[in-house]
Structure formats: structure tokens, C-alpha cells
Amino acid sequence: MNIRVRYAPSPTGFQHIGGIRTALFNYLFARSGGGKFILRLEDTDRARCDPVYEQNLYGTFVWLGIHWDEGPDLGGPVGPYVQSQRTDLYQRYVQELLEKGRAYRCFCSTERLEKIRTEREAARSPETGYDRHCRNIGGEESSRRAAAGETFTVRLRIPLDRGNVTRFTDKLLGDIEWKNSDINPDPVLLKSDGFPTYHLANVVDDHLMEITHILRAQEWLSSVPLHVILYDALGWEPPVFCHLPMVMGQDGKKLSKRHGATSIDEFRRQGYLPEALLNYTAFLGCSYEEGRDLYTAEEMEKLFSLDKLNKAPAIFDYKKLEWYNGQYIRMKTSEDLAALSMPWAQDLFGKSGEETTAEPAGPTEEQKTLYTEAMDLVRERANFLPEIPGKVGYLFSEPVPPAPEEFIPKKSDLASAVSLLRMGKELISAFFSGGKSVSDEEAERIVKEKAEKENVKLGDLLMPLRVAITGSRVSPPLFASIRLLGAERCRQRIDAALTACSTLLSILGG
Ligand code: GLU
Ligand code: ZN
């Protein structure tokens, strides 16, 4: 069988985790079986559609690197792929359903429908939906009223003979049976403005686009019985249904904004990498190889299978996603990581010469090189892109001078801090002897030797030096920082620290 699957979003909101999980599973399923992945825009709810959401859809998938084979932008053999451009088609099938008696016109006004709703509510009636008022209007009368210009909708006639049930099989959930009396009573297929509803357009398009498998969120499961009736009414074979497990927050409730970011734009703004989001999303309801978490897109394409889907709901774990993000940051080259984190780094590079220009000037070539080199210092220490610039800020501007006490090692005093800082200054000269910086391994050897010779603890020697150079007791690797800053800037920082400590020492002493 030639697999054909689709992602069929309505452009009525921003792309979020649930949506991209559906798209990704369809995409992986198509790729795993050498099939086609189709994008179809279900824009029949005209009031709620907005081009902004359509742009967001395209932007999101470009960013994620998910490509479809046929779609509104690419075209294809069964287009157009936008439902609002297919209204003639739907009307043709509505006509067929009317002729077969499988659908009927409803002439009820919105006021009437609203009235029965409020009356039922007042009476606390368990009945909901349409009361099938127009179900038995004869064909002739119906055609006459339509021809006379009365407004109408077209409704699906749900079979209600005694014992009527609708059965279907879901690939994941198994055999499912619905009493027809429990199905939405005669749902609207065609609205009074001539536009189809979701049900009609979805079924007609899945058939005409030769969709073989429907993989979508479980919230659509309740629509399947009426879709099955519609397929039958049109004399068509339904595709394979496969409703994906729900995605929940840690509290077991459906994932929503309360749990954290859900829209893809938000993840992007927070500095997530597309690879991390994709890799993690691929796990929301599917298992791959035992004990393995990291997969390239190509690997997932090979491994994905409907048999690996889980029935149990998937729990969205932001901590795990953060872990993935960290892992993908570790895999980046310095050039890529610098480019990716650059949007958050503008404050590092200062403003342009003229004070009046509000725009940051952007990095000079020299700053760009330094920033790129600095990526080696933070790659292992950042889980999010926006964290990166802050961690290397001390390479670009002088750190806020720490209070003199900050330079004092444990169980030591200010006088020792001063002598340790002086030793630190000598180390700088040793690191750059001959005008070139030594390797980080060599620097380490030199420091150890110095500590031994001066009879001080290695940690005590390094601590004040680290604070002077980086402005903090906790920092990226010290020797690499020194190497990137160069001898001159390091000496200046140590001198500043020495001045602060010596001044305080003389005040205290004198
Ligand atoms: N337009 C529906 C949505 O917004 C499509 C549901 C389906 O896949 O059938 O998700
Ligand atoms: Zn009616």
C-alpha cells in the first residue's frame, strides 16, 4: 500500500506541542514506509481563521525542518490543499447525499435552535444538540423551499433504526462501538453560507486525497462514528484510524499553558533548539529502542512504527526537554553555537560610537571571533541558548569588582589573599612566556608546580585568581578564560584586585 498521511490544521491558533506531535508522527510514519506526507489547511471556520496563524504554521515547520510532499505552498496532484478553495467539491457531495436521502435540509433559524437550547437548559434536560425538527420534511417540500430562497443548512441523517450501532477499529485503541443514538444528533455538513463544516470537508478531502491512515489527537475520536456513517453514505471505504495518546502535564491534566510553554514560538523564544524539541516530541506516545534517548531525524524516520505507539497518555516533562536541549547544545560546533545564541548576546558588544543611536552596534569582527572561541567554555554548562552570553560576559567587559573578602580562601586572611594574587600575577607571566599562551594542560602543570614551590594549596592559589579574572568564584574554565583574555587584560584585572585588597588591608592595619 502506498502510504499517504496528512497534517490538517485549522489556522485558528499558533502551532503548539500537540499539533507538532501530530504532524511529526504523520511525517515519520510516511517516511518510515516510503509514503507521502501532505499538508492540508482546514480553514472552513472563516471567522476564526487568520493569515497570522498560517504564517506561523509555515515558519514553525521551516524551523523544525519538517517538510511535506504536497501542500498549499507546493501544490500536488490532488490540490488545492486549502479547504476554502474547494467549496464546489463539497457542494457536489452534499447534493449526492441529499439525493440519496442520507442528508436533509434544515430550515431552522438560529433563534429557534437557540430557543430549544435554553429551554432544555432551564428544564435540565439531558438532551443536547439538534432536535431533528426538519428530519422528516419531504423531498419535494425541501427542494421547493430551497428554490424559493429560504436559508438552510444540510444535516447528516444519522440512522436511528432500532439497535443501530456504528463500529470501527482504531489501530491503537482497538474495536470501538457507538450507539447511533449517542452520536451528535444529525450534525450540520453544510452551513447556511455554503461553507462545509469540519466533518464534511475532512471526510471528502481524506477520500479525494487518497489518505490511507489518519493519525491525529484523541480529542477527535468522538467524531469518528459520524465520519464512518458519512463514508458509508458516500459509498467510500474509510482510511485506517489511529488516535494518538493524549499529552498531559505532570499533574495528569491535559497539557496547557498552566504547565509552561506550549506554543512553539514560545519554546523558540526561550532558546530551545529545534532538534531537541523534535527528538523529545517524538517520544510523546511512542517508544523506540530500549534505553536510548537521542535520535537524529533520519534514525527516527527509520525506526518509527505504529506498533511502537503507547496507549497510555504521554506526560510532558519540561526537565527532560531541558536535558535534550543541553545534549544538542553539546553537539554544536562553536561557529553554530555562537550564531544560534547571538540574538541574545547583543548586550555584550556595547553600543555603537554615537550615544544617540539606540540600536546595539553588533559585534566587531574581533568580538565575533572571541565570542566564537568562548563557546568551548560554555558548551558543557548551558542548557538554553539565552544562558550563554551571560556566562561569557566577563570576556567582553570588566567584571563588577568583587568585594575584597571575596578573594580570601577558606580559613585564610586578607594578607594571604594579597600574596596569592601576586603569585597569580607571576603565573600569568609564565602562561604567556615567549609571547604565546601555553596550552591549558601546560598551564595546569605550571600552577601545580607553583603551588608546590610556594607551599600553598592548589585551590587556595586558584581561587583569588579566578575571582580576579572572571569576577566570580564559580566560572567557566579558568585557564581557557585567561588564554582568551590575553596577558594584558589579565594583569589589569589582578592589579585592580590587588589595589582593592591592599587598600582595605592598609585601612585595617593602620
Ligand atoms: N482541522 C482539524 C484540526 O484542527 C483536523 C483534525 C483531523 O486531523 O481530522 O486538528
Ligand atoms: Zn431544522
Side-chain angles (χ1 to χ4, degrees):
M1 183 202 294
N2 287 332
I3 291 173
R4 288 177 62 82
V5 291
R6 65 0 180 233
Y7 178 48
S10 301
T12 55
F14 294 109
Q15 292 298 305
H16 55 89
I17 280 291
I20 65 155
R21 197 274 304 259
T22 299
L24 178 63
F25 280 23
N26 277 288
Y27 170 81
L28 293 176
F29 181 54
R31 289 288 170 277
S32 72
K36 293 269 187 274
F37 173 54
I38 291 145
L39 176 73
R40 180 173 77 223
L41 278 188
E42 301 210 327
D43 61 342
T44 54
D45 189 347
R46 301 307 290 158
R48 290 176 55 227
C49 290
D50 193 308
V52 166
Y53 301 129
E54 219 176 298
Q55 284 320 310
N56 172 258
L57 169 78
Y58 294 123
T60 299
F61 285 93
V62 168
W63 182 68
L64 287 171
I66 294 186
H67 310 286
W68 37 86
D69 303 298
E70 300 166 25
D73 48 345
L74 297 178
V78 292
Y81 294 84
V82 180
Q83 289 186 329
S84 59
Q85 297 168 15
R86 299 169 64 83
T87 41
D88 293 355
L89 276 169
Y90 308 126
Q91 291 188 3
R92 190 189 315 156
Y93 289 105
V94 163
Q95 205 48 48
E96 180 184 327
L97 290 166
L98 284 172
E99 279 159 21
K100 285 180 171 169
R102 300 296 298 260
Y104 63 89
R105 291 190 191 89
C106 164
F107 297 95
C108 294
S109 62
T110 32
E111 291 74 35
R112 177 178 182 275
L113 297 176
E114 185 54 29
K115 190 163 155 269
I116 54 169
R117 203 178 62 82
T118 41
E119 277 172 7
R120 278 171 174 175
E121 236 167 47
R124 296 178 185 245
S125 158
E127 291 194 54
T128 54
Y130 182 53
D131 63 357
R132 300 189 164 105
H133 183 72
C134 304
R135 189 171 160 115
N136 295 319
I137 296 178
E140 230 166 87
E141 181 189 341
S142 172
S143 305
R144 186 170 39 76
R145 287 173 70 175
E150 237 182 281
T151 51
F152 61 87
T153 59
V154 177
R155 293 180 179 273
L156 178 66
R157 189 187 301 271
I158 302 286
L160 286 176
D161 314 345
R162 234 191 284 172
N164 243 329
V165 289
T166 298
R167 296 192 181 85
F168 61 94
T169 303
D170 183 276
K171 179 87 178 87
L172 182 65
L173 305 170
D175 292 338
I176 296 176
E177 195 178 282
W178 280 61
K179 279 207 207 94
N180 286 4
S181 51
D182 289 343
I183 297 174
N184 179 355
D186 298 0
V188 173
L189 298 176
L190 197 70
K191 294 181 260 188
S192 54
D193 60 3
F195 263 88
T197 57
Y198 156 71
H199 303 299
L200 176 68
N202 191 265
V203 164
V204 167
D205 285 350
D206 281 340
H207 176 74
L208 295 182
M209 295 183 176
E210 296 168 28
I211 299 303
T212 56
H213 296 72
I214 295 179
L215 275 55
R216 67 181 164 203
Q218 229 163 72
E219 66 193 87
W220 299 102
L221 189 67
S222 61
S223 299
V224 181
L226 74 92
H227 289 189
V228 169
I229 292 170
L230 195 47
Y231 277 105
D232 177 66
L234 289 163
W236 298 337
E237 196 60 40
V240 175
F241 295 105
C242 182
H243 288 82
L244 304 172
M246 303 276 280
V247 181
M248 313 282 211
Q250 298 276 1
D251 56 0
K253 302 216 171 79
K254 191 173 174 219
L255 188 70
S256 75
K257 286 201 188 90
R258 280 181 309 112
H259 297 103
T262 53
S263 87
I264 307 309
D265 275 1
E266 224 170 320
F267 284 110
R268 252 175 112 164
R269 275 197 297 274
Q270 290 180 9
Y272 284 90
L273 294 173
E275 300 94 318
L277 207 56
L278 271 191
N279 196 153
Y280 181 57
T281 303
F283 274 88
L284 294 173
C286 189
S287 326
Y288 301 83
E289 287 169 352
E290 194 61 37
R292 182 173 166 205
D293 294 310
L294 294 169
Y295 297 89
T296 63
E298 294 74 36
E299 288 170 327
M300 294 189 294
E301 289 170 20
K302 279 206 196 85
L303 289 168
F304 185 87
S305 126
L306 297 185
D307 300 329
K308 291 178 183 154
L309 293 178
N310 311 323
K311 263 194 203 167
I315 308 288
F316 196 90
D317 181 351
Y318 286 88
K319 276 275 152 226
K320 186 79 196 208
L321 177 60
E322 177 178 341
W323 177 84
Y324 270 104
N325 213 49
Q327 295 305 308
Y328 280 98
I329 284 182
R330 319 269 179 274
M331 292 182 218
K332 293 282 173 202
T333 63
S334 294
E335 285 70 23
D336 287 349
L337 198 52
L340 285 163
S341 61
M342 198 53 98
W344 288 278
Q346 297 309 313
D347 286 349
L348 294 185
F349 309 125
K351 306 262 186 276
S352 71
E354 284 165 52
E355 283 300 319
T356 45
T357 40
E359 283 285 299
T364 60
E365 276 312 306
E366 209 176 314
Q367 285 173 324
K368 227 189 250 172
T369 309
L370 177 59
Y371 188 67
T372 306
E373 285 174 343
M375 294 303 107
D376 281 340
L377 279 58
V378 292
R379 185 183 287 105
E380 297 293 328
R381 292 175 172 71
N383 284 342
F384 297 104
L385 297 173
E387 280 181 90
I388 292 176
K391 288 192 191 295
V392 298
Y394 65 93
L395 296 175
F396 292 87
S397 50
E398 300 312 301
V400 181
E405 304 79 64
E406 289 297 312
F407 295 96
I408 306 173
K410 244 196 227 133
K411 292 196 209 136
S412 189
D413 55 23
L414 200 53
S416 317
V418 168
S419 89
L420 289 164
L421 279 168
R422 290 209 177 102
M423 289 177 211
K425 209 172 153 187
E426 288 161 19
L427 284 172
I428 300 298
S429 301
F431 292 166
F432 290 92
S433 69
K436 245 177 70 220
S437 64
V438 298
S439 70
D440 297 347
E441 297 73 39
E442 177 63 5
E444 192 172 338
R445 200 194 55 74
I446 295 173
V447 174
K448 277 190 183 144
E449 203 177 87
K450 179 88 173 166
E452 236 164 75
K453 186 170 145 238
E454 304 282 353
N455 198 23
V456 294
K457 282 195 208 134
L458 185 65
D460 287 358
L461 178 55
L462 286 175
M463 192 283 261
L465 186 61
R466 182 186 298 276
V467 177
I469 300 290
T470 69
S472 164
R473 290 184 183 217
V474 189
S475 79
L478 180 58
F479 302 141
S481 304
I482 293 172
R483 181 162 45 77
L484 291 185
L485 279 166
E488 213 27 60
R489 293 181 74 189
C490 289
R491 280 201 197 96
Q492 279 166 11
R493 290 185 186 187
I494 299 172
D495 281 342
L498 273 169
T499 308
C501 291
S502 310
T503 309
L504 182 62
L505 195 60
S506 70
I507 294 170
L508 293 177

